[in-house]
Amino acid sequence: MASQALPYRPHNHQACVTQALADARAICRAQNARLTPTRERVLELIWQSHKPLGAYDVLAELTAEGQNAAPPTVYRALDFLQQHGLVHRIASLNAFIGCAHAGENHTGMFLICRSCGNVLELTAPGVSGAIEGAAKAEHFKAENVTLEIAGLCPRCQSESRHD
Amino acid sequence: MASQALPYRPHNHQACVTQALADARAICRAQNARLTPTRERVLELIWQSHKPLGAYDVLAELTAEGQNAAPPTVYRALDFLQQHGLVHRIASLNAFIGCAHAGENHTGMFLICRSCGNVLELTAPGVSGAIEGAAKAEHFKAENVTLEIAGLCPRCQSESRHD
DNA sequence: CTGGAAATGTTATAATGTACCAAATTTCCC
DNA sequence: GGGAAATTTGGTACATTATAACATTTCCAG
Ligand SMILES: [Zn+2]
Ligand SMILES: [Zn+2]
Ligand SMILES: [Zn+2]
Ligand SMILES: [Zn+2]
């Protein structure tokens, strides 16, 4: 069997976080955007795992750390991070996840495991092309694509076989 | 220019509604499911237009008609209609729309106009195939696909050109 | 009939997201 | 550096969407 994608297997996740934060700093510097402490901390919290995190989960962490935070605090930080392509919102879950392809121009495709909750973000050119083609055939000008696939990740499939 | 899809041009919309209700009755009869008056009325309200309707919009209509309705009334009806493939939930809008392909086994792809709000539901085999292929390449078992494309419909594109 | 299943009524509350205005901070020009 | 403008943050209140829980009614098979 081919090697599985990161979210589906044990790995040094701290490296994911470190890399994501480093990328974020570089991207913000390049765009002259201010990655303030709260924004950076929210991004780090979002990256705590490969599972999407709800805005109010982020809020709870912030307040637990003694930070003066209210819902707008979190939503503002999340808006900023989305604008700069650092996090994605998963509409079907009302939750947020770190972008695995920050800086690259891409259309996210999310594989969401309903069992373990992990999410893998893909860029599938074939899929994007097919979507654009279908939209074009209807003379529809596509601006934003939401593509979220719920199901079972490789790990959870094999676990359910061994129950 | 090719003929535009229904939502984007004037048409006898009452025929859409009548057809949808007739289909729904047939489907429920075939599945031994009870399309009760409230459920049927909710479906009819959802079909009032080709724009998605929020659950609380449906609720407002029901109560305006003097029906004894509360949020669970609407959500239960919507759950039923979704289960039987008669309506879809648009996750990116928190709203519901009548299924344009009820009875057919399909994966909905929704073209959502950010200007006029109309939604066109497509079935694009090429897109579905590409998505399944991409999921399979990651050994992911896809069960449910959310595919929503926001942009500008043909009509709204030409209107903005003539401003 | 009648007993169990399905559907509905009803109240309360959870979960998610935004409007709005004031205060603080940063930026940038002079 | 001083000070106006813009950005960011603090904080309250509220809007919107969705569900939990339990009582009551309706339906239907036997
Ligand atoms: Zn990781
Ligand atoms: Zn999983
Ligand atoms: Zn119509
Ligand atoms: Zn339009």
Side-chain angles (χ1 to χ4, degrees):
Chain A
M1 180 177 186
S3 156
Q4 294 176 348
L6 268 189
Y8 304 148
R9 58 181 168 80
H11 65 283
N12 175 10
H13 181 62
Q14 185 53 47
C16 293
V17 178
T18 303
Q19 184 64 53
L21 290 178
D23 290 349
R25 285 187 207 105
I27 288 167
C28 287
R29 199 177 319 120
Q31 299 185 9
N32 232 8
R34 293 168 52 197
L35 190 61
T36 61
T38 298
R39 288 167 176 174
E40 183 168 334
R41 181 63 183 138
V42 168
L43 180 59
E44 190 176 10
L45 287 171
I46 293 284
W47 266 102
Q48 266 180 354
S49 77
H50 292 277
K51 307 181 209 284
L53 207 58
Y56 279 75
D57 297 328
V58 175
L59 178 58
E61 300 262 9
L62 289 181
T63 55
E65 292 170 2
Q67 181 163 147
N68 216 339
T73 309
V74 174
Y75 281 102
R76 283 193 285 234
L78 290 171
D79 284 349
F80 172 90
L81 295 170
Q82 280 185 92
Q83 301 261 309
H84 294 84
L86 302 174
V87 307
H88 294 286
R89 183 179 134 87
I90 307 293
S92 58
L93 298 177
N94 294 335
F96 300 82
I97 190 156
C99 174
H101 306 88
E104 307 167 32
N105 186 2
H106 68 290
T107 296
M109 166 174 171
F110 301 93
L111 303 183
I112 306 166
C113 179
R114 67 166 161 78
S115 172
C116 67
N118 282 311
V119 170
L120 170 62
E121 178 181 359
L122 296 179
T123 51
V127 173
S128 305
I131 290 171
E132 279 160 29
K136 197 162 193 176
E138 297 291 339
H139 306 98
F140 186 92
K141 183 180 170 193
E143 292 173 346
N144 190 276
V145 174
T146 299
L147 176 50
E148 301 167 9
I149 294 137
L152 279 181
C153 74
R155 170 174 291 266
C156 291
Q157 283 172 64
S158 43
E159 276 175 12
S160 65
R161 277 202 297 273
H162 299 328
D163 269 356
Chain B
M1 182 177 184
S3 157
Q4 295 174 345
L6 266 189
Y8 303 147
R9 59 182 166 79
H11 63 283
N12 176 10
H13 181 63
Q14 185 53 49
C16 293
V17 178
T18 304
Q19 184 62 52
L21 289 179
D23 289 349
R25 285 186 206 104
I27 288 167
C28 288
R29 200 178 317 119
Q31 298 186 11
N32 232 7
R34 292 168 55 196
L35 189 62
T36 60
T38 298
R39 289 168 175 173
E40 183 168 335
R41 181 63 184 137
V42 169
L43 180 60
E44 190 176 10
L45 288 170
I46 293 284
W47 267 101
Q48 266 179 352
S49 77
H50 292 277
K51 305 182 210 283
L53 207 57
Y56 279 73
D57 297 328
V58 174
L59 178 58
E61 299 262 9
L62 289 182
T63 54
E65 292 170 2
Q67 181 164 144
N68 213 339
T73 309
V74 173
Y75 282 101
R76 285 195 281 235
L78 289 171
D79 283 348
F80 171 89
L81 295 170
Q82 281 184 262
Q83 301 261 308
H84 294 83
L86 301 173
V87 307
H88 294 286
R89 184 179 133 86
I90 307 293
S92 58
L93 299 177
N94 294 334
F96 300 83
I97 190 154
C99 173
H101 306 88
E104 307 167 31
N105 186 1
H106 68 290
T107 295
M109 165 174 172
F110 301 92
L111 302 183
I112 306 166
C113 180
R114 67 167 159 79
S115 172
C116 68
N118 281 312
V119 170
L120 170 62
E121 178 181 359
L122 296 179
T123 51
V127 173
S128 306
I131 291 172
E132 280 160 28
K136 198 163 192 176
E138 298 290 340
H139 307 97
F140 187 93
K141 184 181 171 195
E143 293 173 345
N144 190 275
V145 174
T146 298
L147 177 50
E148 302 168 9
I149 294 139
L152 279 180
C153 75
R155 168 175 291 266
C156 291
Q157 283 172 64
S158 43
E159 276 176 12
S160 64
R161 277 201 297 273
H162 300 329
D163 269 356

